[in-house]
Amino acid sequence: MSFGTMLDDSFSYAKAGVWGKWKHWLFLIICLIIFPLILGYMVRIYRGEKPAPELKEWGTLFIDGLKLLAVSLIYALPIILLVIAAFLPLISTFISAGALSVDFAAMTEAQTEQWMTSHPQILSAIGTMFILLLVAVIIAIVISIFSFIGSVRFARTGRIGEGFNFSEILAQIRRIGWFTYIAALIIIGAIGVIFWVLLHIFSLIPVIGQIVYLIVMIVLYPPFVMFTSRYAALVYECGEPASATVPAEQPPTQGNI
């Protein structure tokens, strides 16, 4: 399946799921507030349900959402720990240097530079912070390679442990093709960035920008979730083993009994 076909399918899937179905759209917006519900809805889409599933069996939806949340948090844990390790020493160093008692707003740029120079441990802590954040970004990219397929695998099997079955995840990626898979991740990542940039443009409107941004985000986020979830399901299915072709029954040849 080509990228264009997958994107067109995902867009049509999301559009058919909300357009003209205002009650369904409204319930999806409510699911954003009780966020495990929207995660549970993603699980149903990951499973390949087509057309877009109806909102029913709310208890199961909530539990599936909690399970997907657990999978996501476990994948995110190394990144969270690295970010904490990056900022905690810096904050501690600032406090020990007496930064809380310094009025930086009243200081000139030269005075601020002089203060920073007189506390070299802060510059060292800042350098360490940037290094750890860079490592966190690299690890986040590596983790996303596994979590993208792992989340769908969890949804298809119903078992949290299968979301971390790295041998099967790698096998799935090999069947998709590494180049195709990485390209698929880059495409959906770029679309996500464009989506959030366009949303934040609304926040630049004077006076009411933040309110407009919040309203537009709440309205557009459910179909965007449907779009990205359907896309993930289609990428996963590109690596599904082809079913064995059953040879057609041959007519008996002359002389055969």
Side-chain angles (χ1 to χ4, degrees), residues 75-99:
Y75 270 115
L77 188 59
I79 305 166
I80 294 172
L81 293 177
L82 273 171
V83 171
I84 292 174
F87 283 99
L88 203 57
L90 179 62
I91 295 172
S92 176
T93 303
F94 260 102
I95 294 174
S96 62

Side-chain angles (χ1 to χ4, degrees), residues 9-49:
D9 183 294
S10 302
F11 179 80
S12 300
Y13 184 91
K15 181 181 177 181
V18 295
W19 194 254
K21 300 178 179 179
W22 312 117
K23 183 178 178 181
H24 183 73
W25 199 338
L26 178 61
F27 277 127
L28 286 173
I29 291 174
I30 294 173
C31 288
L32 293 177
I33 301 172
I34 312 173
F35 69 93
L37 292 176
I38 197 68
L39 295 177
Y41 192 73
M42 289 172 61
V43 170
R44 291 184 180 176
I45 298 175
Y46 284 160
R47 287 174 181 157
E49 293 189 26

Side-chain angles (χ1 to χ4, degrees), residues 82-84 86-87 128-139:
L82 273 171
V83 171
I84 292 174
F87 283 99
T128 302
M129 178 194 71
F130 279 114
I131 292 172
L132 288 175
L133 288 179
L134 178 60
V135 172
V137 169
I138 295 172
I139 291 179

Side-chain angles (χ1 to χ4, degrees), residues 71 74-75 150 153-154 157-166 169:
V71 171
I74 293 171
Y75 270 115
R153 182 171 179 80
F154 146 69
T157 62
R159 297 189 296 272
I160 291 178
E162 285 300 314
F164 306 95
N165 189 336
F166 298 115
I169 291 172

